[in-house]
Amino acid sequence: MVRSYNTDSVALRVPKNTATAAATFSLPKLSKDEMADLENKISTYSNPQKVPIKKETPHVSEEAVHLTDSAIKRLNYLSEQRKKTQYLRLRVDSGGCYGFSYMLDMDEEPAVDDVVVDRNGAKMVIDEVSLPLVRGATIDWQDRLIGQAFIVLANPQASGGCGCGSSFEIKMD
């Protein structure tokens, strides 16, 4: 992008292969000192310094959720097959026929804001935002004719849910 400055306006020109056309913004007249200060601020903001992010250890909880024996067995099997710890990630998204949906995915690393559940070597992670909505829930591995999946078998924070079990509504105490 090419920038040109004068005391009456700032014109921004972008290459033709982009979808944006040239734009002009009217500014009040600036003194040379004000213009130099503006150019300094623009160069500072366009080249920010990288700040190292301190990675914290995720919090480990024994009481967050319960894993059935079949869920523990399946998670340990997946970790053995991949020769690396596999984490079952449970998160809650808005949506579904009852307002909230369970999302169960596999992950290889916990995030900084995750709560880690460890049961006999089987590991599960839940983000801190989703945890209050599923605290005390029971997670199961089911192998049925219609498919195999981890499911939320019971959730004490839910007052109801859909027939397929993928969405729920929260208790309003």
Side-chain angles (χ1 to χ4, degrees), residues 121-142:
K123 305 223 190 267
M124 180 174 181
V125 291
I126 307 165
D127 63 271
E128 291 177 347
V129 174
S130 298
L131 183 59
L133 301 173
V134 295
R135 186 176 299 280
T138 300
I139 311 303
D140 189 27
W141 168 257
Q142 293 195 347

Side-chain angles (χ1 to χ4, degrees), residues 15-164:
K16 288 183 180 181
N17 60 353
T18 62
T20 309
T24 302
F25 303 96
S26 296
L27 298 174
K29 292 190 177 201
L30 301 174
S31 69
K32 287 184 180 184
D33 290 337
E34 291 171 322
M35 185 57 88
D37 185 48
L38 177 64
E39 288 175 353
N40 184 34
K41 286 180 181 177
I42 290 172
S43 69
T44 301
Y45 291 129
S46 62
N47 298 314
Q49 295 181 357
K50 292 185 179 180
V51 177
I53 298 173
K54 181 182 174 187
K55 186 169 181 174
E56 299 173 15
T57 305
H59 174 68
V60 177
S61 172
E62 294 297 319
E63 302 298 321
V65 297
H66 307 286
L67 294 171
T68 64
D69 290 341
S70 62
I72 292 169
K73 185 177 176 182
R74 184 62 179 183
L75 284 169
N76 286 334
Y77 171 79
L78 292 172
S79 292
E80 287 173 18
Q81 291 297 309
R82 298 198 176 131
K83 296 180 177 43
K84 184 173 182 175
T85 301
Q86 299 297 302
Y87 295 85
L88 176 62
R89 176 172 297 284
L90 170 59
R91 73 177 195 277
V92 175
D93 287 343
S94 62
C97 47
Y98 272 79
F100 293 98
S101 294
Y102 299 115
M103 304 303 289
L104 291 153
D105 301 311
M106 298 305 297
D107 209 337
E108 291 188 352
E109 293 290 327
V112 173
D113 69 337
D114 282 340
V115 173
V116 179
V117 176
D118 186 344
R119 298 278 193 281
N120 300 329
K123 305 223 190 267
M124 180 174 181
V125 291
I126 307 165
D127 63 271
E128 291 177 347
V129 174
S130 298
L131 183 59
L133 301 173
V134 295
R135 186 176 299 280
T138 300
I139 311 303
D140 189 27
W141 168 257
Q142 293 195 347
D143 188 355
R144 301 180 286 180
L145 288 175
I146 60 171
Q148 302 173 328
F150 287 101
I151 64 164
V152 178
L153 196 58
N155 182 0
Q157 308 307 321
S159 63
C162 66
C164 70

